[in-house]
Amino acid sequence: MTYRFEAGRIYRMPTHFGPAYGPRQLPDDIVVDPKRSRRTLSVVASFLTDPEVLEQHLPDGFRLSGEPVVTVECHHMTDIDWLAGRGYTMIWVGWPATFTGRRDRATGKFLAVVWENLADPIITGRDEIGHPKLYAEIAEPRRWNGAQICTAGWMGFRFLELEVSQLHDAEPDRQGAASDGTLMLKYKPRTGAWGEADLCQVTLTPAGDPDNHIEQRQAGAGLVRFHKASWSDLPTMHHVVNALAALPVIEARGGSVTLSRGGKSYRDQRVLV
């Protein structure tokens, strides 16, 4: 007897063994506390760039919103509930944008690319909610000589350095810019018909995370370096890194280091049309 898909359950390939577990679907007997899971060390730096260059990397229906400020974030996470207490590290790159569709309109952070050092969140995030995730070797952030330092690479080629120095205690940024959430483009190619899409849709992670509690925040001077790569350095993603390396740094916009606990696992998603 063949199997059938259950309504309301999340499946991923291979589907033949039943619904799949992950951040949006845990076993029924697992109890989680979103106010404690996860613990996150975030190192963030921003810079002002050329709006004309930046806008070339926005999909149809998007436009820049406000200043063309690129933000690079390194999040080192531990005590993650859906990984049974394990953790991983991610790099986010984004900038402010507005999406205007046939029915919906939203303004927030356009998430251009995410690098992670573990396959499980890459697979679940790409398939289920449209996060533009790639793999990278990301070292745990290290503190040295008054600075917090993060690096990312692939098979020996270091393509990113992120540093926040001159650190001093600061109040949590509770206001921030008005935002509907995080905007992404979810895309899946059509097998055998290259250049065509099986799926192309804009997804939104709504803003607001009442379960996240900031324990400590420091501010400082931020520095971001993307290193230009040849094809042989990064055979599958040199075009991504080189596009970011080509963004002119007109002005550094500072950085921060934040220690927090708790937070949502991106279960609440919307598709914008």
Side-chain angles (χ1 to χ4, degrees), residues 66 84 90 96 102 114 116 132 166-167 172 180 185-186 188 193 222 231:
M90 65 168 68
R102 299 189 307 274
V114 178
E116 293 177 340
Q166 304 173 38
L167 290 167
D180 296 309
L185 183 71
K186 184 177 182 181
K188 290 185 177 294
W231 172 83

Side-chain angles (χ1 to χ4, degrees), residues 47-58 62-70 95-97 246-251 253:
F47 62 90
L48 183 72
T49 191
D50 184 334
E52 292 186 4
V53 178
L54 193 60
E55 198 154 42
Q56 295 173 11
H57 305 299
L58 283 174
F62 284 83
R63 61 175 176 81
L64 291 175
S65 176
E67 288 189 300
V69 174
V70 177
W95 50 82
L247 293 174
V249 178
I250 296 174
E251 178 184 88
R253 285 297 177 91

